[in-house]
Amino acid sequence: LTQLDSVAGDGDLGVTVELAGKAMVNYLADPGEDDIGKILMKCGMQINKASPSTFGTLLASAFMEAGKAVLGHKEIEFKDLLLLGRHAIEGVKKRGKAEVGDKTILDALVPAVEAFGEGLAKEKDSNIILADVVKAAKAGAEATIQMKAKYSRASYRQDGAVGLQDAGATAIYYLIESFAQSLTTRI
């Protein structure tokens, strides 16, 4: 991630993701809470404190908005991940003002959430849905290679970083892949 970000950004994305991950792990070790919505919102706050970069802020916004969707819930079902994903997208859009195709994290996140919704609608097996979600996130991140950046430091380049994969979208793909692998072992 740092290498990708060094080409068209400021080169700190790997550190940002590491700090955000450590903040979540530390918080989740003892959240002192059983309300899933509050846990997600507080995860977002921890991410924002630990890594107040653009990516950290967008990721924090995704967690906080997803948390609002399930406030008061002590349990969620697999299908509820669609609601969380849709709210995470809205959190990122509200904070960053970007849309799919602007060469941002949305280019990996939105296809992943759409794949999840399609899988649920077709009543696919949960492990197949998760595999489809990962494929969609990866394809979305790879599609950014052909996009011109509208936001971020990559947009400062005259070519808009066309020909380079977006580091933020790649980070989201890795996060989704890791989450899906974790779920697959628990379903």
Side-chain angles (χ1 to χ4, degrees):
L1 292 176
T2 297
Q3 184 179 5
L4 276 176
D5 193 39
S6 293
V7 178
D10 55 9
D12 70 344
L13 186 60
V15 172
T16 296
V17 171
E18 183 178 3
L19 291 172
K22 285 180 180 178
M24 286 190 291
V25 167
N26 290 340
Y27 167 69
L28 291 172
D30 185 20
E33 182 72 57
D34 61 355
D35 180 323
I36 294 171
K38 287 181 181 177
I39 290 171
L40 289 170
M41 292 174 74
K42 287 179 183 176
C43 259
M45 288 185 264
Q46 295 301 316
I47 292 166
N48 200 44
K49 271 191 224 173
S51 55
S53 65
T54 301
F55 181 84
T57 300
L58 293 173
L59 186 60
S61 297
F63 271 84
M64 288 188 272
E65 197 66 30
K68 290 178 188 176
V70 292
L71 270 175
H73 290 80
K74 294 184 186 206
E75 293 182 12
I76 59 172
E77 296 180 24
F78 184 72
K79 65 180 175 59
D80 296 327
L81 295 175
L82 180 60
L83 177 67
L84 294 175
R86 287 179 175 161
H87 279 268
I89 289 167
E90 289 311 308
V92 171
K93 285 182 175 183
K94 275 196 271 187
R95 177 64 66 185
K97 311 295 185 231
E99 295 291 332
V100 172
D102 289 340
K103 196 174 185 118
T104 70
I105 66 176
L106 290 171
D107 294 304
L109 181 59
V110 171
V113 173
E114 287 175 351
F116 191 88
E118 290 168 13
L120 286 178
K122 293 178 180 176
E123 299 181 358
K124 290 183 177 181
D125 175 77
S126 58
N127 287 325
I128 292 172
I129 292 173
L130 292 172
D132 290 346
V133 164
V134 172
K135 286 178 198 167
K138 183 177 184 185
E142 290 172 348
T144 64
I145 294 169
Q146 302 306 318
M147 296 176 188
K148 186 172 184 175
K150 187 173 177 181
Y151 299 98
S152 78
R153 289 183 192 256
S155 68
Y156 302 165
R157 293 170 53 119
Q158 189 171 10
D159 64 0
V162 172
L164 302 172
Q165 187 165 316
D166 184 69
T170 303
I172 290 296
Y173 155 64
Y174 290 148
L175 290 170
I176 289 169
E177 180 184 44
S178 176
F179 181 67
Q181 287 174 352
S182 176
L183 282 180
T184 300
T185 63
R186 296 169 192 223
I187 296 177

